[in-house]
Amino acid sequence: MSLHFLGSSLLPHYKNPPKKPHKNTIVRTHNSITQVLENNPKFRRPDYPDQFPPAPISNIHTQQIPIHQNDETIDDDDDLWLTMKYEALSDVEQEPILSNYYFTAILSHHVIESALAGHLSVKLGDSSFPSGTLYDLFLTVLTEDEDIVTAVRHDLIAVKERDPACISYVQCFLNFKGFLACQAHRIAHKLWSQDRKILAVIVQNRVSEVFAVDIHPGAKIGRGILFDHATGLVIGETAVIGDNVSILHNVTLGGTGKVSGDRHPKIGDGVLIGAGTCVLGNVRIGEGAKIGAGSVVLRDVPPRTTAVGNPAKLIGGKENPVMLDKIPGLTMDHTLHINEWSDYVI
């Protein structure tokens, strides 16, 4: 979902380039993973009566995948999932105690949809809404909506590229609660749009309890999203977030009171919102804008500008704001480059 509400196509979106031979490409197959699993006794199916059944291990087509070194670009959606499987195998080689966990969460699945449905269902399941029931619900939504799965892949790539703490795709997939909360929201939003609002709110509530992230299922979120740390993130019902947006922890995209209707912020493509920021009301944050940490934004912010403070003000002033030459949502640059501040010393 690309939200160019200010009339410009600012950002290059992640697209799959034509498949071509890679200098570091070798032939690996699903069969090779199958052989590792079937020939290694440390990979065993755990017997959890309340848990979804892992996908069966079977032989599938041969697949070329690149060996990704130095964050080289993944050429194909299948490459991403296969890369994650090999990352998982490498992790288990280093930490054999993780073998059962990695088998259930990653290695027993041939597609990312079933793995995500399974992992989220285990995270969000409880005694009143067991993981097996959630798995069936999540998998149905994911397999019926290719756009969600495409967004999941773009989010994985975004986190790996922008977060220096992310050491691998599989670690993001398993452990980064901002990523997981965003994907659970995508499922809840689909349910909301299908008028299955009771289920959507239940999923929202569990995400809030487990991940400390509260995103109303009515909110619309694009792809290539990074919720960094994510604790305390609150996003209201009529909020809209564009593509390639990066938001840190303790950010509120909220309303200003008891106003009904369209009452929440609209965040353009490529925006960076710093930690502890509140953006309140039906205001628009233009494409490629930057909001400094701890700011309170109550008015529109033009594209490619920086707003800081409480209440937030534009750097350079309203009449002649300093214009950004890079996309902060991608660079994750939270600093201010203002010459007259260069000799400021505390």
Side-chain angles (χ1 to χ4, degrees):
M1 178 181 66
S2 179
L3 305 169
H4 304 294
F5 53 71
L6 293 174
S8 66
S9 180
L10 178 66
L11 297 173
H13 299 288
Y14 296 106
K15 293 182 179 179
N16 297 323
K19 191 119 182 191
K20 58 185 178 181
H22 192 283
K23 65 180 180 179
N24 289 327
T25 295
I26 63 173
V27 175
R28 287 177 172 169
T29 67
H30 287 279
N31 289 350
S32 64
I33 294 179
T34 300
Q35 291 168 3
V36 170
L37 300 179
E38 291 180 343
N39 296 334
N40 195 329
K42 67 185 177 185
F43 292 106
R44 301 182 302 275
R45 296 182 186 274
D47 183 18
Y48 302 140
D50 179 43
Q51 205 163 10
F52 62 92
I57 302 175
S58 60
N59 297 334
I60 307 186
H61 62 282
T62 298
Q63 172 75 42
Q64 278 194 330
I65 68 171
I67 303 174
H68 303 296
Q69 297 173 345
N70 301 323
D71 289 331
E72 294 176 0
T73 301
I74 290 177
D75 289 334
D76 186 87
D77 288 344
D78 287 340
D79 287 351
L80 177 58
W81 181 235
L82 286 173
T83 298
M84 290 173 63
K85 282 197 165 188
Y86 283 106
E87 288 177 347
L89 286 172
S90 176
D91 287 352
V92 171
E93 287 299 315
Q94 297 180 52
E95 297 289 351
I97 194 174
L98 298 175
S99 59
N100 285 352
Y101 172 48
Y102 271 64
F103 180 83
T104 301
I106 301 291
L107 295 169
S108 64
H109 301 272
H110 288 310
V111 291
I112 197 170
E113 294 94 317
S114 64
L116 181 59
H119 192 51
L120 286 176
S121 68
V122 171
K123 290 284 188 179
L124 301 178
D126 60 13
S127 58
S128 59
F129 211 172
S131 60
T133 302
L134 283 178
Y135 175 74
D136 292 339
L137 174 65
F138 293 169
L139 185 60
T140 299
V141 172
L142 291 170
T143 54
E144 290 179 351
D145 194 327
E146 294 181 1
D147 289 341
I148 294 179
V149 181
T150 298
V152 171
R153 293 188 175 100
H154 285 219
D155 292 348
L156 276 169
I157 293 171
V159 177
K160 182 65 167 59
E161 289 182 345
R162 297 179 216 161
D163 187 351
C166 183
I167 60 177
S168 67
Y169 296 106
V170 75
Q171 289 303 319
C172 171
F173 186 91
L174 293 176
N175 301 318
F176 280 37
K177 71 176 185 177
F179 169 81
L180 294 172
C182 186
Q183 311 325 314
H185 166 75
R186 297 190 188 282
I187 295 172
H189 179 70
K190 184 64 176 182
L191 295 171
W192 184 268
S193 66
Q194 294 173 336
D195 205 28
R196 305 177 71 183
K197 295 184 176 180
I198 297 174
L199 275 177
V201 171
I202 290 175
V203 173
Q204 173 207 6
N205 179 64
R206 287 297 297 153
V207 170
S208 177
E209 292 176 341
V210 173
F211 299 130
V213 176
D214 195 350
I215 310 174
H216 192 284
K220 299 177 181 178
I221 297 180
R223 64 173 94 179
I225 302 299
L226 169 60
F227 292 152
D228 196 1
H229 299 290
T231 300
L233 177 63
V234 177
I235 300 176
E237 177 184 3
T238 60
V240 180
I241 298 176
D243 296 336
N244 303 316
V245 171
S246 297
I247 300 177
L248 274 82
H249 52 285
N250 287 325
V251 167
T252 297
L253 305 181
T256 57
K258 297 183 68 176
V259 178
S260 60
D262 192 359
R263 62 196 183 278
H264 295 108
K266 310 299 180 286
I267 310 300
D269 295 347
V271 168
L272 171 62
I273 302 180
T277 292
C278 291
V279 185
L280 304 178
N282 187 13
V283 299
R284 294 172 181 257
I285 309 300
E287 294 179 335
K290 181 194 301 187
I291 311 298
S295 299
V296 177
V297 181
L298 303 174
R299 296 185 179 182
D300 293 356
V301 175
R304 299 278 194 158
T305 62
T306 301
V308 297
N310 180 9
K313 298 180 180 180
L314 296 180
I315 298 299
K318 181 179 179 181
E319 301 302 324
N320 190 29
V322 175
M323 303 302 293
L324 301 171
D325 60 352
K326 296 181 180 179
I327 309 302
L330 300 180
T331 65
M332 299 296 291
D333 183 1
H334 293 265
T335 60
L336 288 176
H337 303 283
I338 302 176
N339 292 333
E340 57 265 30
W341 285 25
S342 60
D343 59 352
Y344 182 78
V345 177
I346 297 178

